[in-house]
């Protein structure tokens, strides 16, 4: 973390004159500051600096590109105002102020987290340097301008106009927003807040669902946090090209189009995802915006809290969605997978450079952190947890804080040793597995680190352990390598899968739990399935034992359990596509539940619809007759139920469909969701010439930059496409790195495609990975190598089953 040489920034007054034809702008800013150093350092990237004045007097300055810095001589060595004239271009980098294209218009939009603000204006681009912002922009008079605050004034002068905005609250630079273009909008009023949905002209959804869910979530959070939303309005802005899924800019939240485009083509899964993403970004308005981390090592606190609170809010607002089931399936599982690798990192990661910041936007910061918060809430109780959060927000509002401040607040309210427990969980990488055995009059426990590739360490954790004994839920803190509690008979640890640890039982114990405990929740059953799968991947169970245990619970009608087992069998098919035993298991499991569920009926549970979609996607991979029947529906693709469209497109590719037919449907698609469904299915085309033409869509810019990784991932999953994707892996990663500057997307994509592409060509993959050992990719390279070892081992085990 570089010294900034200024004690405090008070205000940025920023004026931009944007030339929409030349894709450039001129800027003037006035910064009021406190500080007595002889040198002032600001962050600045790819900006041309024309002049610098301090308190009205010109002063010397220099640009230091390797440090992304603008150095200004402060000869007076005292507080003052810094005036800078500068200019910049508007590129298509998906960071800073950038160009996002629709089919027929340009949108200028910003993405500043974590270090993008310095690409639009010189600033101290550091979360602890909060300031107020006065923004004014000159643009063509036919364009609209959106920022964090409402407009205070608009003056039209011929073909140009100047828009001024109200002063913002004190906030960090990464939360500033500017959007310029032709927008349609629609709004609703709730209490003192205008909730506004905006999209590029002609792209506004007909559904009010995003506005309605946002209003309900704001109500919930105001009640839960005990603090009203701080701004007079909040925009939900649809951005046509966007690196992230969404961004919590204070009062001007940006989203990928798919999250705000709700219509007859929206799948059940996407409908739920829209609610979760909106709730996540609104949680940030308090946790991240009102109170901000001091430095990026506490990024996880922002993201994990928003993740946890989004599911918590929706569990109250939409109880039929079973959102905590979604959380463990979509967040906890991914975190458990990644944190079981040797090259994981602690939640509280060491962050020094912009590259370090980008790499911690991962499953650990989001999923593990959220899961740990859920575990702590269960440990201290829901009311103590809420009251501790209220204290933390009140004590630190409009300021910055550290993770330890939150633990202290919850500990103060609850009287429980929260700091001791949390410090261990956030500073130690990985997590434990608890093995259960029966003593004479006790249940004996042993913990050790769970590593999916095998191996042992001496690391232990203070585990807030919960367990079913009879019909009651008991708890204890297991903070040694071994422990025990009195009892006999079947005992199920990790009640409702509220803890971030795995459990391993003997075959007899597993059977007793499944057959003897009738009160197990859907999350208990999910955990039994997921822990069994990873026990097999790690070598603690063999393939036969895995199948035997999964068969004991696969008749469950719980959608989350169906989704989990279907996902496990799908993954095993990708690892060992020629395995007749996996094919038979997948066929039997899918047909069992599809026959029971039947076709979709009006008014059925949204989770049933999602589970059916997962089953159909699995069955088409192992049943040629079923795949053929699904493939025939592709000609009437837009008449197919949205929950079935992915499997229909995939079936068409599998059964010999051509690129030209798929591209024709791609061009006819009106929504991002349909386009990405078809793009993903293109990765499963059988002919190399078809795959080449699909890749040319990316090369020629006919696919949105944000969506290109979907094709690479799909082509890596398809056994028929893997050789093609292996040969084009360097291009794929290079293309992503050109588009996603200071982003984890390239490394995350490498982690997704590398292990599958390497199965059966392990030595060739090891050699190819040598090309990616750069600072931002080196950890991902090691993860790929470790996962490749795990996948290859599983493939061999099931090929001999």
């Amino acid at each position: 973390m570089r010294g900034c040489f200024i004690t405090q920034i008070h205000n940025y007054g920023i004026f931009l004159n944007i030339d929409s034809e030349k894709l450039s702008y001129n800027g003037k800013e006035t910064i009021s500051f406190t500080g007595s150093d002889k040198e002032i350092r600001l962050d600045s990237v790819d900006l041309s600096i024309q002049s610098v004045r301090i308190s009205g007097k010109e002063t010397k300055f220099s640009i230091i590109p390797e440090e992304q810095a603008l150095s200004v001589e402060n000869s007076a060595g005292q507080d003052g105002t810094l005036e800078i004239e500068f200019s910049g271009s508007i590129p298509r980098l998906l960071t800073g102020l950038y160009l996002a294209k629709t089919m027929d218009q340009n949108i200028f939009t910003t993405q500043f987290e974590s270090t993008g603000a310095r690409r639009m204006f010189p600033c101290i681009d550091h979360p602890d340097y909060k300031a107020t912002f006065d923004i004014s922009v000159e643009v063509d008079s036919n364009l609209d301008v959106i920022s964090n605050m409402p407009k205070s004034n608009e003056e039209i002068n011929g073909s140009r106009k100047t828009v001024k905005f109200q002063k913002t609250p004190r906030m960090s630079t990464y939360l500033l927003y500017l959007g310029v273009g032709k927008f349609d909008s629609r709004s609703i009023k709730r209490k003192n807040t205008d909730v506004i949905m905006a999209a590029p002209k002609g792209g506004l959804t007909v559904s009010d669902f995003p506005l309605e869910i946002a209003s309900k979530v704001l109500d919930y959070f105001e009640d839960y946090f005990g603090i009203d939303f701080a701004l007079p309005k909040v925009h939900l802005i649809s951005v046509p090209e966007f690196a992230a899924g969404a961004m919590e800019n204070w009062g001007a939240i940006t989203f990928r189009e798919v999250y705000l485009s709700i219509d007859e083509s929206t799948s059940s899964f996407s409908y739920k995802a829209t609610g979760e993403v909106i709730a996540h970004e609104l949680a940030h308005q308090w946790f991240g915006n009102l109170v901000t981390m001091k430095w990026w090592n506490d990024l996880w606190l922002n993201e994990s809290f928003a993740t946890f609170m989004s599911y918590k809010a929706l569990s109250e607002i939409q109880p039929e969605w079973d959102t905590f089931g979604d959380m463990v399936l979509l967040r906890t599982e991914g975190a458990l997978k990644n944190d079981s690798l040797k090259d994981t990192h602690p939640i509280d990661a060491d962050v020094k450079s912009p590259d370090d910041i980008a790499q911690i936007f991962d499953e650990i910061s989001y999923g593990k952190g959220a899961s740990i918060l859920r575990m702590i809430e269960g440990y201290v109780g829901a009311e103590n947890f809420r009251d501790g959060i209220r204290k933390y927000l009140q004590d630190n509002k409009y300021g910055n804080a550290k993770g330890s401040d939150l633990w202290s607040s919850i500990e103060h309210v609850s009287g429980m040793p929260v700091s001791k427990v949390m410090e261990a969980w956030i500073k130690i990488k990985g997590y434990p597995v608890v093995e259960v055995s029966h003593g004479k009059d006790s249940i004996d426990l042993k913990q050790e680190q769970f590593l999916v590739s095998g191996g042992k360490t001496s690391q232990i954790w203070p585990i807030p352990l919960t367990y079913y004994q009879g019909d009651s839920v008991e708890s204890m803190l297991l903070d040694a390598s071994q422990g025990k509690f009195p009892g006999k008979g079947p005992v199920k640890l990790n009640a409702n899968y509220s803890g971030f640890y795995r459990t391993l039982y003997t075959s007899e114990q597993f059977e007793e739990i499944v057959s003897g405990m009738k009160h197990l929740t859907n999350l208990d059953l999910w955990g039994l399935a997921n822990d069994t799968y990873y026990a097999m991947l790690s070598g603690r169970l063999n393939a036969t034992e895995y199948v035997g245990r999964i068969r004991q619970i696969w008749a469950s009608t719980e959608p989350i359990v169906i989704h989990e087992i279907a996902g496990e069998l799908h993954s095993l098919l990708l690892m060992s596509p020629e395995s007749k035993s996996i094919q038979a298991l997948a066929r039997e499991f899918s047909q069992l539940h599809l026959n029971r569920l039947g076709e979709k009926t009006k008014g059925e549970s949204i989770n049933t619809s999602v589970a059916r979609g997962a089953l159909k996607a699995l069955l088409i991979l192992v049943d040629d007759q079923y795949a053929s029947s699904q493939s025939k529906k592709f000609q009437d693709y837009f008449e197919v139920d949205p929950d079935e469209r992915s499997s229909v497109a995939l079936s068409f590719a599998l059964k010999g469909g051509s690129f030209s037919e798929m591209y024709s449907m791609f061009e006819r698609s009106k929504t991002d969701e349909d386009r990405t469904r078809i793009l993903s299915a293109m990765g499963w085309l059988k002919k190399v010439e078809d795959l080449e033409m699909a890749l040319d869509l990316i090369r020629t810019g006919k696919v949105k930059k944000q969506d290109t990784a979907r094709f690479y991932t799909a082509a890596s999953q398809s056994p028929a496409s893997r050789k093609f994707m292996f040969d084009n892996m360097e291009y794929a990663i290079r293309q992503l790195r050109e588009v996603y500057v200071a982003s984890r997307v390239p490394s995350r994509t490498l982690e997704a495609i590398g292990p599958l592409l390497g199965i059966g060509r392990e030595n060739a993959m090891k050699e190819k990975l040598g090309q990616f050992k750069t600072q931002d990719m080196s950890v991902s390279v090691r993860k790929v190598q470790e996962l490749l070892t795990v996948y290859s081992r599983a493939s061999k085990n099931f090929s001999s089953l």
Side-chain angles (χ1 to χ4, degrees), residues 77-93:
Q78 62 187 18
D79 304 349
T81 57
L82 185 62
E83 301 165 67
I84 304 173
E85 294 188 4
F86 60 97
S87 59
S89 60
I90 306 176
R92 295 190 69 186
L93 285 179

Side-chain angles (χ1 to χ4, degrees), residues 234-406:
V234 59
H235 265 90
L236 312 177
I237 308 162
S238 180
V239 177
E241 293 185 294
F242 194 31
M247 175 62 205
E248 65 267 22
N249 315 297
W250 209 353
I253 305 170
T254 45
F255 298 83
R256 284 195 180 189
E257 286 182 316
V258 69
Y259 291 120
L260 295 183
S261 180
I262 304 296
D263 59 21
E264 67 278 356
S265 69
T266 302
S267 67
S268 298
F269 181 87
S270 293
Y271 193 79
K272 293 177 71 178
T274 290
E276 189 277 319
V277 173
I278 289 173
H280 180 107
E281 303 309 324
L282 288 174
H284 274 309
Q285 306 301 296
W286 285 265
F287 222 98
N289 299 6
L290 184 67
V291 179
T292 311
M293 70 263 164
K294 283 183 175 291
W295 180 237
W296 293 103
N297 63 299
D298 273 327
L299 165 77
W300 78 272
L301 195 58
N302 277 11
E303 296 303 341
S304 62
F305 191 85
T307 299
F308 175 68
M309 286 305 303
S310 66
Y311 292 110
K312 189 173 181 66
L314 290 175
S315 71
E316 295 291 329
I317 296 167
Q318 303 282 162
E320 70 278 8
W321 284 8
D322 182 31
T323 53
F324 278 115
D326 291 337
M327 178 177 158
V328 299
L329 189 66
L330 302 175
R331 297 295 194 175
T332 303
E333 196 279 338
L336 287 166
K337 174 184 176 180
N338 281 273
D339 210 29
S340 68
L341 299 175
K342 294 174 182 175
D343 265 293
T344 184
H345 65 81
I347 290 177
D348 187 354
D350 187 22
V351 176
K352 297 177 180 177
S353 72
D355 283 341
D356 293 335
I357 298 169
Q359 297 311 309
I360 61 170
F361 281 83
D362 64 1
E363 296 83 356
I364 305 302
S365 293
Y366 286 75
K368 181 178 181 180
S371 302
I372 298 302
L373 290 174
R374 180 169 174 253
M375 181 169 70
I376 289 299
E377 183 191 44
Y379 177 54
V380 303
E383 287 190 10
N384 284 333
F385 185 78
R386 180 203 62 202
D387 292 345
I389 288 167
R390 287 179 175 179
K391 174 176 168 53
Y392 167 84
L393 291 173
Q394 284 288 355
D395 290 349
N396 298 286
K397 60 185 179 182
Y398 299 107
N400 298 76
K402 298 181 293 185
S404 57
D405 297 320
L406 177 60

Side-chain angles (χ1 to χ4, degrees), residues 408-432:
S408 296
S409 294
I410 299 175
E411 186 168 297
H412 175 83
V413 168
S414 68
M416 300 176 74
V418 176
S419 296
K420 171 188 173 183
V421 174
M422 285 303 301
E423 286 300 308
W425 281 95
I426 68 171
K427 293 186 180 299
I428 301 172
K429 66 180 183 179
Y431 62 88

Side-chain angles (χ1 to χ4, degrees), residues 191 218-229 286 290 309 386-387 389-391 393-394 397:
K191 299 181 181 177
L218 284 169
D219 287 343
Y220 176 84
F221 284 150
E222 285 188 344
D223 178 67
Y224 187 89
F225 297 137
I227 299 175
D228 287 346
F229 179 66
W286 285 265
L290 184 67
M309 286 305 303
R386 180 203 62 202
D387 292 345
I389 288 167
R390 287 179 175 179
K391 174 176 168 53
L393 291 173
Q394 284 288 355
K397 60 185 179 182

